[in-house]
Structure formats: structure tokens, C-alpha cells
Amino acid sequence: MATLFIADLHLCTEEPAITAGFLRFLAGDARQADALYILGDLFEAWIGDDDPVPLHREIAAAIKSLVDAGVPCYFIHGNRDFLLGKRFARESGMILLAEEKVLDLYGRRVLILHGDTLCTDDTGYLAFRAKVHQPWLQKLFLALPLFVRQRIAAKMRANSKAANSTKSLEIMDVNPQAVVNAMERHRVQWLIHGHTHRPAVHQLTANDEPACRVVLGAWHSEGSMVKVTPEGVELIHFPFS
């Protein structure tokens, strides 16, 4: 019995090794799981379910194969793929979740989320996030021709990279009080998230009791997952091959 969590793969055509590692994971470790949760940024960028990139079809088919094998797959949007929609979800068999979700796993209540909303010190990013998450703006963007969306997305990624280069690592990490607030709001002692690319297990206090925050690593040169079993919660790194 095990439930697996991954995040921040940032899949793209330019990084075939990461794609190969993910496909191997889906055909291997994931097949033994009770469920797989993807906590955002599965893709480096997402400009609409109608984007005909072959990689998207390949990944959808691989996830669907996992689901068809009896392992349900759930997805929380990240800051890179927040436009991933119902069409891709149907194609892949994934179930889309709200940005915050509490799970009951083997007697533990666990809060899961992507993690960007916990970075409350990065006020510039949160203002941008609030803007691009407006339904009317998303609808307008998705109605644009594909080549226009591609240009806009490329410019936005360039602007984001430039902005992040001037920010301190502390600003782009989670705010400790925001973490406690989220855990107390949901009455949980366990939190799993990604986004910051700083894999670690943090001990803290929430709800006046010992608590734990587990951060997933990004799939840069190796895979990263959190494995929750009746016996415990483990952060695991593994090679792509």
C-alpha cells in the first residue's frame, strides 16, 4: 500500500531525458501505487489543450495507460501549466483537483498543493498570479490563435526569468507563517507541496502540535517523489534510468 506524489517535472521537447525518466516511472514504480498525485508543473509551459505538440499526446497516452491499469491519477495545477484543461484531463484520464486538497491517507490527514501560494513574500508574483487566474482573461487568451499564444507565452517566460534573476532565494521560498496558516485552516499536521525546487522534510508546529512539511524536488537530473504508506512518509530521489 502506497500513494505517490510528484511535481515540477517541467516536461518539454528540449529535455528528452526527463520525459524518458517519467515514462519509465509511469511504467514502473507508479504501477504499484494505490494512486498518483501530480502537484503541478508537469509541463514547462501550457498554452491550451489544443496545442498539437506530440509530447503532449505521448504523455497523455502514458498516463492513460497507468489509469487503465487501475492506478488513479490526480492533478493540481502549477504556475507553469495552470491552463491545462478538461480536454487533456479526459485524454489522459487524470482527475483535476482544486488548488488545495486534504487527503485521508492511511490514518493521516494530508494537505496537498502546488506551493506557489505559500510564497507570500513574493508580492510581485502573487499579483501576477491573481491577474492570470481571472477566468475572463484565461478565456480571452485561449480564444487567440495558437501562434499568438505561443509568442505571448514566450515573452512571459522571458520576463519571468528576468524578474526571478533579481529576487533573493528567500523571497521565492515559502513564508513560514503562510505554511502554518494553511495547515491550521485545514486542521492538518502533514503538508506536501512542490514549486520551490528545494526538496526537504521540515519539522514545525501547527495546531499546537508537531507537524511536518515535505517538499518535492524538481526533475532536473533525477526523479523525486514522496511515498506515503501506512508506516510513514518518505521523500525519495531516483535516477531517470
Side-chain angles (χ1 to χ4, degrees), residues 117-121 174-185 191:
T117 54
L118 300 173
C119 301
T120 54
D121 294 329
V174 301
N175 176 280
Q177 189 58 50
V179 169
V180 172
N181 291 345
M183 297 182 78
E184 294 187 341
R185 185 169 65 252
L191 168 63

Short mmCIF file of all heavy atoms in Angstrom, two decimals, residues 117-121 174-185 191:
data_model
loop_
_atom_site.label_atom_id
_atom_site.label_comp_id
_atom_site.label_asym_id
_atom_site.label_seq_id
_atom_site.Cartn_x
_atom_site.Cartn_y
_atom_site.Cartn_z
N THR A 117 1.32 29.48 -3.78
CA THR A 117 0.50 30.38 -2.96
C THR A 117 1.08 30.55 -1.56
O THR A 117 0.65 31.44 -0.82
CB THR A 117 -0.94 29.86 -2.85
OG1 THR A 117 -0.93 28.50 -2.37
CG2 THR A 117 -1.64 29.91 -4.21
N LEU A 118 2.04 29.71 -1.19
CA LEU A 118 2.70 29.84 0.11
C LEU A 118 3.85 30.83 0.07
O LEU A 118 4.39 31.20 1.11
CB LEU A 118 3.23 28.48 0.57
CG LEU A 118 2.18 27.37 0.75
CD1 LEU A 118 2.88 26.05 1.06
CD2 LEU A 118 1.20 27.73 1.86
N CYS A 119 4.24 31.27 -1.13
CA CYS A 119 5.37 32.20 -1.29
C CYS A 119 4.86 33.64 -1.17
O CYS A 119 4.96 34.44 -2.11
CB CYS A 119 6.07 31.96 -2.62
SG CYS A 119 6.72 30.28 -2.81
N THR A 120 4.33 33.98 -0.01
CA THR A 120 3.64 35.26 0.16
C THR A 120 4.59 36.46 0.22
O THR A 120 4.14 37.60 0.12
CB THR A 120 2.78 35.23 1.42
OG1 THR A 120 3.59 34.86 2.55
CG2 THR A 120 1.65 34.21 1.28
N ASP A 121 5.90 36.22 0.39
CA ASP A 121 6.85 37.33 0.37
C ASP A 121 7.09 37.84 -1.05
O ASP A 121 7.56 38.98 -1.24
CB ASP A 121 8.18 36.91 0.99
CG ASP A 121 8.04 36.62 2.48
OD1 ASP A 121 7.19 37.24 3.13
OD2 ASP A 121 8.79 35.77 2.99
N VAL A 174 8.83 29.57 0.47
CA VAL A 174 7.57 29.72 1.19
C VAL A 174 7.77 30.59 2.42
O VAL A 174 8.85 30.67 2.99
CB VAL A 174 6.98 28.35 1.60
CG1 VAL A 174 6.75 27.48 0.37
CG2 VAL A 174 7.88 27.64 2.60
N ASN A 175 6.70 31.24 2.83
CA ASN A 175 6.69 32.01 4.07
C ASN A 175 6.27 31.08 5.20
O ASN A 175 5.21 30.44 5.11
CB ASN A 175 5.71 33.17 3.94
CG ASN A 175 5.58 33.97 5.22
OD1 ASN A 175 4.87 33.55 6.13
ND2 ASN A 175 6.24 35.10 5.29
N PRO A 176 7.07 30.96 6.26
CA PRO A 176 6.74 30.01 7.34
C PRO A 176 5.36 30.21 7.94
O PRO A 176 4.66 29.23 8.24
CB PRO A 176 7.85 30.27 8.37
CG PRO A 176 8.99 30.80 7.57
CD PRO A 176 8.36 31.63 6.48
N GLN A 177 4.95 31.47 8.11
CA GLN A 177 3.64 31.71 8.70
C GLN A 177 2.52 31.32 7.74
O GLN A 177 1.47 30.84 8.16
CB GLN A 177 3.49 33.19 9.10
CG GLN A 177 2.23 33.47 9.92
CD GLN A 177 2.16 32.65 11.19
OE1 GLN A 177 3.12 32.61 11.97
NE2 GLN A 177 1.04 31.97 11.41
N ALA A 178 2.76 31.50 6.43
CA ALA A 178 1.76 31.08 5.44
C ALA A 178 1.56 29.56 5.49
O ALA A 178 0.45 29.06 5.31
CB ALA A 178 2.19 31.51 4.04
N VAL A 179 2.65 28.84 5.73
CA VAL A 179 2.57 27.38 5.86
C VAL A 179 1.71 27.01 7.06
O VAL A 179 0.79 26.19 6.96
CB VAL A 179 3.98 26.77 6.01
CG1 VAL A 179 3.89 25.30 6.40
CG2 VAL A 179 4.76 26.93 4.71
N VAL A 180 2.01 27.61 8.21
CA VAL A 180 1.25 27.32 9.42
C VAL A 180 -0.22 27.70 9.24
O VAL A 180 -1.13 26.94 9.64
CB VAL A 180 1.86 28.07 10.63
CG1 VAL A 180 0.96 27.92 11.86
CG2 VAL A 180 3.25 27.54 10.93
N ASN A 181 -0.47 28.85 8.62
CA ASN A 181 -1.85 29.29 8.41
C ASN A 181 -2.63 28.27 7.58
O ASN A 181 -3.78 27.96 7.87
CB ASN A 181 -1.87 30.65 7.73
CG ASN A 181 -1.37 31.77 8.61
OD1 ASN A 181 -1.26 31.60 9.84
ND2 ASN A 181 -1.07 32.91 8.03
N ALA A 182 -2.00 27.77 6.51
CA ALA A 182 -2.67 26.80 5.64
C ALA A 182 -2.96 25.50 6.39
O ALA A 182 -4.04 24.92 6.27
CB ALA A 182 -1.80 26.52 4.41
N MET A 183 -2.00 25.04 7.18
CA MET A 183 -2.19 23.80 7.91
C MET A 183 -3.25 23.94 9.00
O MET A 183 -4.05 23.02 9.24
CB MET A 183 -0.85 23.33 8.50
CG MET A 183 0.19 23.02 7.45
SD MET A 183 1.78 22.43 8.10
CE MET A 183 1.37 20.73 8.49
N GLU A 184 -3.28 25.10 9.64
CA GLU A 184 -4.28 25.31 10.67
C GLU A 184 -5.67 25.54 10.08
O GLU A 184 -6.68 25.13 10.65
CB GLU A 184 -3.86 26.48 11.57
CG GLU A 184 -2.60 26.14 12.37
CD GLU A 184 -2.23 27.20 13.39
OE1 GLU A 184 -2.71 28.35 13.25
OE2 GLU A 184 -1.44 26.88 14.30
N ARG A 185 -5.71 26.16 8.91
CA ARG A 185 -7.00 26.36 8.24
C ARG A 185 -7.65 25.03 7.88
O ARG A 185 -8.87 24.87 7.95
CB ARG A 185 -6.79 27.21 6.98
CG ARG A 185 -8.08 27.58 6.26
CD ARG A 185 -7.84 28.63 5.18
NE ARG A 185 -7.01 28.15 4.10
CZ ARG A 185 -5.75 28.52 3.86
NH1 ARG A 185 -5.16 29.38 4.68
NH2 ARG A 185 -5.08 28.02 2.83
N LEU A 191 1.80 18.34 5.35
CA LEU A 191 1.67 19.15 4.13
C LEU A 191 2.70 18.67 3.12
O LEU A 191 3.88 18.50 3.44
CB LEU A 191 1.90 20.63 4.45
CG LEU A 191 2.08 21.61 3.28
CD1 LEU A 191 0.82 21.66 2.44
CD2 LEU A 191 2.44 23.00 3.79
#
